[in-house]
Coordinates of all heavy atoms in Angstrom, one line a residue:
S117 N -15.1 -24.3 3.5 CA -16.3 -24.9 3.1 C -17.4 -23.8 3.1 O -17.4 -22.9 3.8 CB -16.9 -26.0 3.9 OG -17.3 -25.5 5.2
S118 N -18.2 -23.8 1.9 CA -19.2 -22.8 1.8 C -20.2 -22.7 2.9 O -20.6 -21.6 3.3 CB -19.9 -22.9 0.3 OG -21.0 -21.9 0.2
S119 N -20.7 -23.8 3.3 CA -21.6 -23.8 4.4 C -21.1 -23.1 5.7 O -22.0 -22.5 6.4 CB -22.0 -25.4 4.6 OG -20.9 -26.1 5.1
F120 N -19.9 -23.3 6.0 CA -19.3 -22.7 7.2 C -19.2 -21.2 7.1 O -19.8 -20.5 8.0 CB -17.9 -23.2 7.5 CG -17.2 -22.6 8.5 CD1 -17.6 -22.5 9.9 CD2 -16.0 -21.8 8.2 CE1 -17.0 -21.9 10.9 CE2 -15.4 -21.1 9.2 CZ -15.8 -21.2 10.5
L121 N -18.8 -20.7 6.0 CA -18.6 -19.3 5.8 C -20.0 -18.6 5.6 O -20.1 -17.4 6.0 CB -17.8 -18.9 4.6 CG -16.2 -19.2 4.7 CD1 -15.5 -18.8 3.5 CD2 -15.7 -18.4 6.0
Q122 N -21.0 -19.2 5.1 CA -22.3 -18.7 4.9 C -23.0 -18.3 6.3 O -23.9 -17.6 6.3 CB -23.2 -19.5 4.1 CG -22.9 -19.5 2.6 CD -23.7 -20.4 1.8 OE1 -24.7 -21.0 2.2 NE2 -23.4 -20.4 0.5
G123 N -22.5 -19.0 7.3 CA -23.0 -18.7 8.7 C -22.6 -17.3 9.2 O -23.1 -16.8 10.1
Y124 N -21.5 -16.7 8.6 CA -21.1 -15.4 9.0 C -21.0 -14.4 7.8 O -21.2 -13.2 8.1 CB -19.5 -15.6 9.4 CG -19.3 -16.5 10.5 CD1 -19.1 -17.9 10.3 CD2 -19.4 -16.1 11.9 CE1 -19.0 -18.7 11.3 CE2 -19.2 -17.0 12.9 CZ -18.9 -18.4 12.7 OH -18.8 -19.1 13.6
I125 N -20.9 -14.8 6.6 CA -20.8 -13.8 5.4 C -22.0 -14.2 4.4 O -22.3 -15.3 4.2 CB -19.4 -14.0 4.7 CG1 -18.3 -13.9 5.8 CG2 -19.4 -13.0 3.6 CD1 -17.0 -14.3 5.1
T126 N -22.5 -13.1 3.9 CA -23.6 -13.2 2.9 C -23.2 -14.0 1.7 O -22.1 -13.9 1.3 CB -24.3 -11.9 2.6 OG1 -23.3 -11.2 2.0 CG2 -24.9 -11.1 3.8
A127 N -24.1 -14.8 1.1 CA -23.8 -15.6 0.0 C -23.4 -14.8 -1.2 O -22.6 -15.1 -2.0 CB -25.0 -16.5 -0.4
S128 N -24.0 -13.6 -1.3 CA -23.7 -12.7 -2.5 C -22.2 -12.2 -2.5 O -21.5 -12.1 -3.4 CB -24.6 -11.5 -2.4 OG -24.4 -10.7 -1.3
I129 N -21.7 -11.9 -1.2 CA -20.4 -11.4 -1.0 C -19.4 -12.6 -1.4 O -18.4 -12.5 -2.0 CB -20.1 -10.9 0.4 CG1 -20.8 -9.6 0.5 CG2 -18.6 -10.7 0.6 CD1 -20.2 -8.4 -0.3
L130 N -19.7 -13.8 -0.8 CA -18.9 -15.0 -1.1 C -18.8 -15.2 -2.5 O -17.7 -15.6 -3.1 CB -19.5 -16.2 -0.4 CG -19.4 -16.2 1.1 CD1 -20.0 -17.5 1.7 CD2 -17.9 -16.2 1.5
D131 N -19.9 -15.2 -3.3 CA -19.9 -15.3 -4.8 C -19.1 -14.3 -5.5 O -18.3 -14.7 -6.4 CB -21.3 -15.4 -5.3 CG -22.2 -16.7 -4.8 OD1 -21.5 -17.7 -4.4 OD2 -23.3 -16.6 -4.9
S132 N -19.2 -13.1 -5.2 CA -18.5 -12.0 -5.8 C -17.0 -12.0 -5.5 O -16.2 -11.6 -6.4 CB -19.1 -10.7 -5.5 OG -19.1 -10.4 -4.2
M133 N -16.7 -12.2 -4.3 CA -15.3 -12.1 -3.9 C -14.5 -13.3 -4.1 O -13.3 -13.3 -4.4 CB -15.2 -11.7 -2.3 CG -15.8 -10.3 -2.0 SD -14.9 -9.0 -2.8 CE -15.8 -7.7 -2.2
F134 N -15.1 -14.5 -3.8 CA -14.3 -15.8 -3.9 C -14.8 -16.8 -4.8 O -14.4 -17.9 -4.9 CB -14.3 -16.3 -2.4 CG -13.8 -15.5 -1.4 CD1 -14.7 -14.9 -0.5 CD2 -12.5 -15.1 -1.3 CE1 -14.2 -14.0 0.5 CE2 -12.0 -14.2 -0.3 CZ -12.9 -13.7 0.6
D135 N -15.8 -16.4 -5.8 CA -16.2 -17.1 -6.9 C -16.8 -18.4 -6.2 O -17.6 -18.3 -5.2 CB -15.0 -17.5 -7.8 CG -14.5 -16.3 -8.4 OD1 -15.2 -15.4 -8.6 OD2 -13.3 -16.3 -8.6
V136 N -16.5 -19.6 -6.7 CA -16.9 -20.8 -6.2 C -16.0 -21.4 -5.2 O -14.9 -21.7 -5.5 CB -17.3 -21.9 -7.3 CG1 -17.8 -23.2 -6.7 CG2 -18.3 -21.3 -8.3
L137 N -16.4 -21.7 -3.9 CA -15.5 -22.3 -3.0 C -15.4 -23.8 -3.3 O -16.4 -24.5 -3.2 CB -16.1 -22.1 -1.6 CG -16.2 -20.6 -1.0 CD1 -16.8 -20.6 0.3 CD2 -14.8 -20.1 -1.0
R138 N -14.2 -24.1 -3.5 CA -14.0 -25.6 -4.0 C -13.1 -26.3 -2.9 O -12.3 -27.2 -3.3 CB -13.3 -25.6 -5.3 CG -12.1 -24.7 -5.5 CD -11.5 -24.8 -6.9 NE -10.3 -24.0 -7.1 CZ -10.3 -22.7 -7.3 NH1 -11.4 -22.1 -7.5 NH2 -9.1 -22.1 -7.6
G139 N -13.1 -25.9 -1.6 CA -12.3 -26.5 -0.7 C -12.8 -28.0 -0.5 O -14.0 -28.3 -0.4
S140 N -11.9 -29.0 -0.5 CA -12.2 -30.4 -0.4 C -12.5 -30.7 1.1 O -13.2 -31.7 1.3 CB -11.1 -31.2 -0.9 OG -9.9 -30.9 -0.2
G141 N -12.0 -29.9 2.1 CA -12.3 -30.2 3.4 C -13.3 -29.3 4.0 O -14.0 -28.5 3.4
N142 N -13.5 -29.3 5.3 CA -14.3 -28.5 6.1 C -13.5 -27.5 7.0 O -13.7 -27.4 8.2 CB -15.3 -29.3 6.9 CG -16.3 -30.0 6.0 OD1 -16.8 -29.5 5.0 ND2 -16.5 -31.2 6.4
Y143 N -12.5 -26.9 6.5 CA -11.6 -26.0 7.2 C -12.4 -24.9 7.8 O -13.2 -24.2 7.3 CB -10.4 -25.5 6.3 CG -9.6 -24.6 7.0 CD1 -8.7 -25.1 7.9 CD2 -9.4 -23.3 6.7 CE1 -7.7 -24.3 8.5 CE2 -8.5 -22.4 7.3 CZ -7.7 -23.0 8.3 OH -6.8 -22.2 8.9
R144 N -12.0 -24.7 9.1 CA -12.7 -23.6 9.9 C -11.8 -22.7 10.6 O -12.2 -22.1 11.6 CB -13.7 -24.3 10.9 CG -14.7 -25.1 10.2 CD -15.8 -25.7 11.2 NE -16.9 -26.5 10.4 CZ -17.9 -27.0 11.0 NH1 -18.2 -26.7 12.3 NH2 -18.8 -27.6 10.3
G145 N -10.6 -22.5 10.2 CA -9.7 -21.7 10.7 C -8.6 -22.2 11.6 O -8.6 -23.4 11.9
Y146 N -7.6 -21.4 11.9 CA -6.3 -21.9 12.5 C -6.6 -22.6 13.9 O -6.0 -23.6 14.3 CB -5.5 -20.7 12.7 CG -4.1 -21.0 13.4 CD1 -3.1 -21.9 12.8 CD2 -3.9 -20.6 14.8 CE1 -2.0 -22.1 13.5 CE2 -2.7 -20.8 15.3 CZ -1.7 -21.6 14.8 OH -0.6 -21.9 15.4
T147 N -7.5 -22.1 14.7 CA -7.8 -22.6 16.0 C -8.3 -24.0 16.0 O -8.4 -24.7 16.9 CB -8.6 -21.7 16.9 OG1 -9.8 -21.5 16.2 CG2 -8.0 -20.3 17.0
T148 N -8.9 -24.4 14.8 CA -9.6 -25.7 14.7 C -8.8 -26.5 13.7 O -9.4 -27.4 13.2 CB -11.1 -25.5 14.2 OG1 -11.0 -24.9 12.9 CG2 -11.9 -24.8 15.3
A149 N -7.5 -26.2 13.4 CA -6.8 -27.0 12.4 C -6.6 -28.3 12.8 O -6.4 -29.2 11.7 CB -5.4 -26.2 12.1
K150 N -6.6 -28.6 13.9 CA -6.3 -30.1 14.4 C -7.5 -31.0 14.0 O -7.3 -32.1 13.8 CB -5.9 -30.1 16.0 CG -4.7 -29.5 16.2 CD -4.4 -29.6 17.8 CE -3.1 -29.0 18.1 NZ -2.8 -29.0 19.5
T151 N -8.7 -30.3 14.1 CA -9.9 -31.0 13.8 C -10.3 -30.9 12.3 O -10.6 -31.9 11.7 CB -11.1 -30.5 14.8 OG1 -10.7 -30.6 16.1 CG2 -12.4 -31.3 14.5
Y152 N -10.2 -29.7 11.8 CA -10.6 -29.4 10.4 C -9.4 -29.0 9.8 O -9.0 -27.8 9.7 CB -11.7 -28.3 10.3 CG -12.9 -28.7 11.1 CD1 -13.2 -28.1 12.4 CD2 -13.9 -29.5 10.5 CE1 -14.3 -28.5 13.1 CE2 -15.0 -29.8 11.2 CZ -15.2 -29.3 12.5 OH -16.4 -29.6 13.2

Side-chain angles (χ1 to χ4, degrees):
S117 67
S118 178
S119 59
F120 170 64
L121 288 181
Q122 284 179 3
Y124 300 91
I125 305 169
T126 59
S128 60
I129 290 291
L130 289 177
D131 291 340
S132 61
M133 295 296 180
F134 304 108
D135 302 323
V136 178
L137 296 177
R138 53 182 182 273
S140 58
N142 291 317
Y143 181 65
R144 298 188 179 184
Y146 177 68
T147 57
T148 60
K150 292 180 181 178
T151 305
Y152 303 97

